[in-house]
Amino acid sequence: MLIHILHRLAIALCVAVTVSIVSFLLLHLSGDLATAIAGSEASAAQVEAIRVQLGLDRPMLSQYLDWLGRAVQLDFGRSFYFQADVMQLIAERLPITMKLGSIALLLATVVAIPLGVLAAIYRDTWLDRIALALAVVGQAMPSFWFGLGLILIFSVTLHWLPVAGNERWENFVLPAIALAYYAMPAMMRLTRAGMLEVLGSDYIRTARAKGLAKNKVIFKHALRNAVIPVVALAAVELGFMLGGSVVIESVYSMQGLGQLAWDAISRNDYPVVQAVVLIIAMFYIGLTFLADVINALLDPRIRIR
Amino acid sequence: MLPQGMACCALLPAFVPAPALAGKANDTLVYASDSEAPNISQYHNNVREGVILAHLIWDTLVWRDPRTGDYKPQLASAWKWESPTALVMDLRQGVQFQNGDPFTAEDVAFTFNYAVSSESRVITRQNVDWIKSVDKLGDYKVRINLKQPFPAALEYLAGPLPIYPGAYFRKVGLEGFAKAPIGTGPYKVVSVTPGRGVSMVRNGNYFKDSPQGQPKIGNIKFVVIPDPETRSAQLMTGAIDWIWRVPADQAESLKSTPGITVQSGETMRVGFLVIDAAGNSSPHSPFKDVRVRQAVNHAINRQGIADNLVRGGSKPVYTACFRTQFGCDDKVVVHYDYNPAKAKELLRAAGYANGFDTDLYAYREREFAEAIVGDLHKVGIRARLHYMKHDAMQVEYRGGKAPMTFYAWGSYSINDTSAFTGVYFKGSSDDIVKDPQLRQWLETADTSTDPAVRKTNYAKALALISRQAYLAPMFSYSTYYAHSSALRFQGYPDELPRFHEASWK
C-alpha cells in the first residue's frame, strides 16, 4: 500500500511541475505581457518601462525559476492589476468558489445517485429514458446558456432569486444548480452502469435466491459496490468544479476564484493567472490522489496491480 | 414526486427576500460596468470606469461645459497666461475636502508636482507630461510651469487632472488613498471593494458655486458585472438602475421592457484603418502607392457600417479626429464616397487590375472588421482577417508587420485634435507613417498659443493625411445606455456619464 501511495505521489508531483511550466510558458506565448498590462492607450515608452519594472526583460528560465522558488513558499508576488498580494486575493476568493463547488457537488450527488439507481432498476422504461435524456442534455448544453436560462426563468420572470452576487445564501442557488447540472450526467451514468453490472452479478442473484427483501438487495448489497467508482469520480468532479466555475461565476457575477482567473486572464495579470492555475491544479491533483487512495483501500486488486 | 417538487418551488418565494436595493425608493443609484479601475486614483488607472468615478469624487481646476464646450472656473476662480509656458491660477476659497481639510494652493502644488515626479508611478503620463512644475504663489494662487507651450492645457486641466488633498495623501500614501480616497467632489466614498465596486454618498458639504451644480441623488453605487446578459438581467429585475455599452441588438429588445429606458448617442471614439504607406510590412507592398490607399478609402461603405452595424447615432468620419475637437476641420479633407467602381479604377491604374492578397489586423468588434473585409473583397483587395487580442496585435502593428490595422481611438475624451493626431503622426511608435512634413505641422499646431495658427496647421496636416490616405477614417462609435425609467439621465459624446447630474423623476 505504501509503495502504491508513494508511486501515486511521485506522479502527482510530476504533473504539478508540468502544470507550472505549461502555465508559465502559455502566458508568455499569449502576446506581449508588457503591452497587455500597459493597456490599449499606452505609449511604447510606457510599455518598455513596465517591461523593465516587472523584470519581463530577463531570460525566461530565470523568470520561471525565480517564480517557482517563491511559489513553493506560497509567495506569488503582487497582482499587476489590483496591486495587491496575490495570495491575499486568492484567500478572499477561494471560500466563495469552495462553497459554490461543494453545494453543486452535493446537489449533483443527491440527484445523480438516486436517479442512476432508479434508471438501472427500471431499465428501458420511460424513467430510464428520461434519466438518460437529462444526462445527454446536461452534457450537451453549454453551462453559460443553461445559467442564463435559469436567470431568465427564476430571476427575470418569476423574481424568486437574485441574478448576481455572492453576499447572501440565495445568490448560490442558481449557480449551484447550473454547475451541478453540468457535473450530474457523468455521475448518473456511472451509477447506472455500475448498478446494471452489479445487479447482473452472481452474488446479487444469490441474495435474491435467499429471499432477501428487494430494497435490502438493492441498497445494501448492490449500491455499496456500484457507488465505489462514483465516490472517486465525485472527488475529481469537485476539482473540476473549482476550475470549471469560471463561466458560471462570470454569468452570476460571483467574485470567486473562477472570476478572478477570468479577470486575470483577460488583463494578462500573470502572477494571478499562474497562482490560480497552480492552486486549482494542486486541488485537482490532490483530489485525484485522494481518489486513488480511496479506490485502493476499497478495492485491494488496485494496489496489487 | 413532481407535485411535491412544484410545491417546494411555490413556497420558495416566501423564504427569498427581494434582492433589489437600487432605485428611487432607496435613493440609491446603482450603476454597473464590465470592468473596474485597478486603482481608484485617476492618475493610476487608464480605464473609463476610473474616469467616471474620478468625476464623482474629485473636482478639477477648470470645468468644461459639456453642452457648450466653454471653460468655466471650478476649483480655480480665474486664470491668466503669464507667458506661453506659465499659467497663473487664482483658486476658489472656502472649499473643503470631504475630510474637512481646507482646499488651498498647497493641494494643487502637491498634486501636480507629485504626479510629474518619477516616484508617483503615474500610469497616464501623457496627461501630465506637459507640466514641468507648480509654484505656490500664495494660499490661493499657483503658477503652473509648462515644459513648452501647450495650448490644450485648459482641456487637460478640465479633464483627467483632479486635485488631491496634499496633507491626507502624504499621511496615507497611495495604497491608503486608493482604499479611502478623499476629494472635494460631489460624492464621498464610503467603501472601495476590489472585484465588487465602490459605494458613495452625496457630499452634503459640496461647494455651492460649483459650475456643475449640486448632486441630487443620495447614494451612488458602482458594481462590477462582467457578463453583458447578466447586466441586462440585473437591470430588468431592478437590482441595478443603469448600464451602458449595451449591444445594439440587446438594446432593441430592452426598449420593449416596461420600466426601462434606452438611450443612444454618438461618442468621440473613431474607428479607422491605419494603412502601411511606408511599406514596412513588405518592400513590395501595394499600399506604398497612394492610389491603392485611396482605393481602400473608396471601397469602404462608411454609411452602411454606421447605419447597420454600429447604429445608435454613429456617423461616417473622414478626418483623423472627431469633429468637435479643436482644429478638426472636416471641410479640408477628401470625402471619399463609397464608390467600388472608382476603387477598382484606382487599383487598375496602380497595376492591380486583378486585385491582390493582403492582411488586416483587428482586435475589437469582429463584425465591423468582417464588414470591412467584405467591402475590400468587392473591389479585389482580398484581405485575410487576423483577429487577436489587443496586445498581440499591437506588437504586430508596432513591429511594422501589419499592412492594414483596424483601430478605434477615443482621445481620452480630450476635445482637441492633438489628442488624436499626436498619437498616430508625431513620430511615436504608433506613427507608422513617419512623414516629417506632417510632424512639423502638428508640432506647430500643438505648441502654438495662437488659435488661428493652430487651426491652420491642423488643417494642413489633416488635409495631407486625407490626400495621402494614410488612414481610412470610417465611423464614429456610439454607445447605448439602458436605465430605469425612474432615472433622469443625459449622455454626452465624450463617453462620460455624469451621475452627479442625474436625478429621480
Side-chain angles (χ1 to χ4, degrees):
Chain A
M1 184 67 185
L2 186 65
I3 291 169
H4 177 75
I5 290 174
L6 287 174
H7 180 235
R8 289 285 161 188
L9 210 55
I11 291 172
L13 200 65
C14 288
V15 174
V17 172
T18 310
V19 166
S20 74
I21 294 171
V22 170
S23 67
F24 187 85
L25 289 177
L26 278 180
L27 269 170
H28 281 77
L29 291 172
S30 63
D32 181 45
L33 285 171
T35 310
I37 295 157
S40 61
E41 302 193 350
S43 67
Q46 284 175 270
V47 173
E48 206 43 50
I50 286 172
R51 198 188 312 284
V52 174
Q53 187 191 334
L54 300 177
L56 297 170
D57 53 341
R58 291 185 301 143
M60 199 85 87
L61 184 66
S62 145
Q63 287 184 54
Y64 172 70
L65 291 176
D66 183 35
W67 170 76
L68 194 65
R70 285 183 290 110
V72 292
Q73 300 166 58
L74 289 183
D75 173 10
F76 293 101
R78 285 177 77 77
S79 155
F80 292 162
Y81 190 76
F82 288 111
Q83 290 295 315
D85 184 70
V86 173
M87 207 50 217
Q88 189 193 328
L89 282 173
I90 290 171
E92 283 167 9
R93 310 292 187 96
L94 189 61
I96 294 167
T97 303
M98 289 293 279
K99 194 169 158 187
L100 176 64
S102 307
I103 297 170
L105 182 69
L106 188 70
L107 207 59
T109 313
V110 165
V111 175
I113 293 179
L115 202 61
V117 171
L118 287 171
I121 296 168
Y122 299 104
R123 189 183 182 180
D124 294 333
T125 63
W126 63 271
L127 186 70
D128 186 25
R129 287 192 197 101
I130 288 173
L132 285 174
L134 276 174
V136 169
V137 172
Q139 271 179 328
M141 193 161 46
S143 54
F144 75 90
W145 193 86
F146 183 62
L148 288 171
L150 290 177
I151 288 176
L152 194 66
I153 298 167
F154 294 102
S155 302
V156 176
T157 309
L158 298 171
H159 294 276
W160 286 1
L161 291 158
V163 177
N166 46 250
E167 290 84 10
R168 294 168 296 163
W169 66 266
E170 56 266 35
N171 288 117
F172 286 83
V173 177
L174 294 183
I177 292 171
L179 203 55
Y181 193 38
Y182 195 63
M184 188 271 285
M187 294 169 80
M188 197 283 282
R189 292 173 80 117
L190 200 62
T191 308
R192 180 183 177 273
M195 280 298 285
L196 284 175
E197 193 186 333
V198 173
L199 287 173
S201 62
D202 292 342
Y203 78 92
I204 293 293
R205 202 177 301 122
T206 308
R208 278 178 178 150
K210 282 191 328 193
L212 286 177
K214 190 181 175 187
N215 282 351
K216 204 169 181 182
V217 172
I218 291 169
F219 294 106
K220 192 175 175 189
H221 294 268
L223 187 61
R224 250 175 93 170
N225 288 316
V227 295
I228 289 172
V230 181
V231 172
L233 177 72
V236 180
E237 285 286 357
L238 182 61
F240 178 78
M241 282 175 179
L242 296 182
S245 63
V246 174
V247 175
I248 293 300
E249 285 184 13
S250 178
V251 168
Y252 290 95
S253 195
M254 302 185 86
Q255 299 305 321
L257 205 59
Q259 185 63 55
L260 181 67
W262 174 248
D263 287 344
I265 290 165
S266 56
R267 290 161 181 158
N268 273 27
D269 192 353
Y270 87 113
V272 177
V273 179
Q274 284 167 337
V276 172
V277 168
L278 200 68
I279 284 172
I280 289 177
M282 288 304 143
F283 266 105
Y284 206 82
I285 291 163
L287 289 166
T288 312
F289 172 71
L290 199 68
D292 280 344
V293 174
I294 292 169
N295 271 349
L297 286 172
L298 292 172
D299 188 348
R301 288 172 299 179
I302 293 172
R303 54 180 189 260
I304 292 165
R305 268 181 226 145
Chain B
M1 281 294 284
L2 204 60
Q4 276 179 355
M6 284 177 75
C8 285
C9 285
L11 285 171
L12 195 56
F15 300 100
V16 179
L21 293 166
K24 188 176 176 178
N26 295 299
D27 196 15
T28 303
L29 163 61
V30 182
Y31 74 95
S33 193
D34 58 347
S35 56
E36 66 185 318
N39 187 313
I40 202 167
S41 161
Q42 194 177 354
Y43 297 96
H44 297 87
N45 74 75
N46 59 1
V47 296
R48 182 59 48 169
E49 286 72 14
V51 178
I52 299 168
L53 286 168
H55 278 75
L56 293 169
I57 304 162
W58 294 284
D59 286 315
T60 47
L61 291 172
V62 181
W63 184 74
R64 177 162 57 78
D65 189 324
R67 290 169 192 85
T68 63
D70 295 342
Y71 297 115
K72 293 180 180 171
Q74 196 172 37
L75 286 177
S77 54
W79 54 83
K80 199 175 126 189
W81 284 100
E82 199 175 62
S83 77
T85 55
L87 177 63
V88 173
M89 301 191 110
D90 291 316
L91 305 177
R92 197 182 288 271
Q93 298 189 29
V95 176
Q96 275 189 342
F97 283 100
Q98 291 147 359
N99 64 347
D101 288 353
F103 159 75
T104 67
E106 183 67 41
D107 302 302
V108 179
F110 164 77
T111 302
F112 292 157
N113 286 330
Y114 165 76
V116 298
S117 68
S118 55
E119 77 266 20
S120 68
R121 290 181 287 141
V122 161
I123 289 178
T124 50
R125 277 236 82 92
Q126 63 274 34
N127 290 339
V128 294
D129 265 353
W130 55 277
I131 299 173
K132 187 177 163 195
S133 62
V134 174
D135 302 325
K136 184 181 156 192
L137 303 178
D139 282 350
Y140 293 96
K141 201 180 193 75
V142 291
R143 181 192 296 114
I144 301 175
N145 301 303
L146 282 63
K147 286 178 183 163
Q148 58 179 334
F150 186 63
L154 286 181
E155 179 64 25
Y156 281 79
L157 289 174
L161 304 179
I163 303 302
Y164 289 171
Y168 176 73
F169 193 100
R170 278 195 209 95
K171 191 174 137 197
V172 298
L174 176 59
E175 208 155 322
F177 193 71
K179 285 178 189 157
I182 293 290
T184 59
Y187 283 88
K188 184 178 177 179
V189 171
V190 176
S191 65
V192 181
T193 317
R196 289 188 196 163
V198 180
S199 294
M200 291 158 280
V201 292
R202 181 170 44 206
N203 177 6
N205 204 19
Y206 190 53
F207 67 99
K208 64 177 171 50
D209 297 327
S210 172
Q212 64 180 355
Q214 294 295 308
K216 294 167 189 75
I217 292 174
N219 308 286
I220 294 186
K221 195 173 175 188
F222 161 60
V223 292
V224 186
I225 304 175
D227 189 77
E229 278 79 18
T230 310
R231 282 199 296 279
S232 289
Q234 285 277 67
L235 180 68
M236 290 161 84
T237 58
I240 59 175
D241 302 293
W242 185 97
I243 57 174
W244 70 336
R245 296 171 182 159
V246 181
D249 295 333
Q250 214 177 77
E252 286 301 320
S253 63
L254 279 173
K255 274 180 190 169
S256 57
T257 308
I260 290 177
T261 301
V262 176
Q263 285 184 35
S264 64
E266 187 187 22
T267 73
M268 278 176 74
R269 189 169 295 278
V270 173
F272 57 96
L273 288 183
V274 191
I275 307 172
D276 176 25
N280 295 316
S281 54
S282 159
H284 309 295
S285 169
F287 296 115
K288 285 164 86 173
D289 191 317
V290 67
R291 290 168 296 189
V292 175
R293 302 197 297 271
Q294 289 168 341
V296 170
N297 272 272
H298 277 298
I300 293 162
N301 185 356
R302 293 169 170 82
Q303 191 74 54
I305 295 175
D307 290 348
N308 302 312
L309 284 177
V310 193
R311 296 186 267 182
S314 166
K315 290 185 180 130
V317 173
Y318 300 92
T319 49
C321 49
F322 184 70
R323 64 173 183 283
T324 64
Q325 290 180 310
F326 179 90
C328 188
D329 192 347
D330 181 59
K331 289 188 259 336
V332 298
V333 300
V334 184
H335 282 234
Y336 292 97
D337 60 329
Y338 174 53
N339 194 337
K342 195 165 182 183
K344 281 182 185 169
E345 192 185 307
L346 283 162
L347 288 175
R348 201 177 306 117
Y352 297 100
N354 297 321
F356 59 87
D357 294 302
T358 187
D359 300 288
L360 188 143
Y361 287 74
Y363 73 103
R364 55 184 292 167
E365 289 95 18
R366 190 182 179 109
E367 66 277 23
F368 298 178
E370 284 172 350
I372 295 161
V373 167
D375 281 345
L376 294 173
H377 265 252
K378 284 179 197 160
V379 301
I381 301 173
R382 296 176 294 277
R384 286 176 298 267
L385 178 62
H386 297 262
Y387 189 81
M388 49 183 74
K389 282 186 68 156
H390 170 267
D391 42 300
M393 191 193 81
Q394 192 83 303
V395 171
E396 299 293 310
Y397 172 76
R398 288 178 175 166
K401 291 174 189 158
M404 281 190 294
T405 314
F406 171 38
Y407 266 109
W409 189 249
S411 298
Y412 283 111
S413 299
I414 303 287
N415 210 19
D416 193 279
T417 294
S418 61
F420 198 123
T421 50
V423 175
Y424 292 97
F425 297 104
K426 269 182 75 181
S428 73
S429 56
D430 287 317
D431 176 7
I432 60 166
V433 173
K434 299 217 164 38
D435 183 324
Q437 174 64 80
L438 198 50
R439 195 171 169 183
Q440 191 204 316
W441 283 333
L442 290 173
E443 197 64 52
T444 307
D446 288 358
T447 54
S448 171
T449 49
D450 183 344
V453 173
R454 298 193 72 208
K455 281 184 177 172
T456 307
N457 282 277
Y458 280 133
K460 284 197 254 182
L462 293 173
L464 179 66
I465 293 165
S466 177
R467 263 197 324 275
Q468 285 294 317
Y470 289 140
L471 296 186
M474 296 183 291
F475 50 82
S476 55
Y477 276 71
S478 64
T479 190
Y480 279 92
Y481 307 97
H483 57 82
S484 156
S485 298
L487 185 71
R488 194 175 287 116
F489 171 79
Q490 171 67 51
Y492 294 97
D494 60 6
E495 286 185 296
L496 177 62
R498 290 166 168 84
F499 293 117
H500 57 267
E501 285 184 2
S503 60
W504 302 113
K505 284 180 185 166

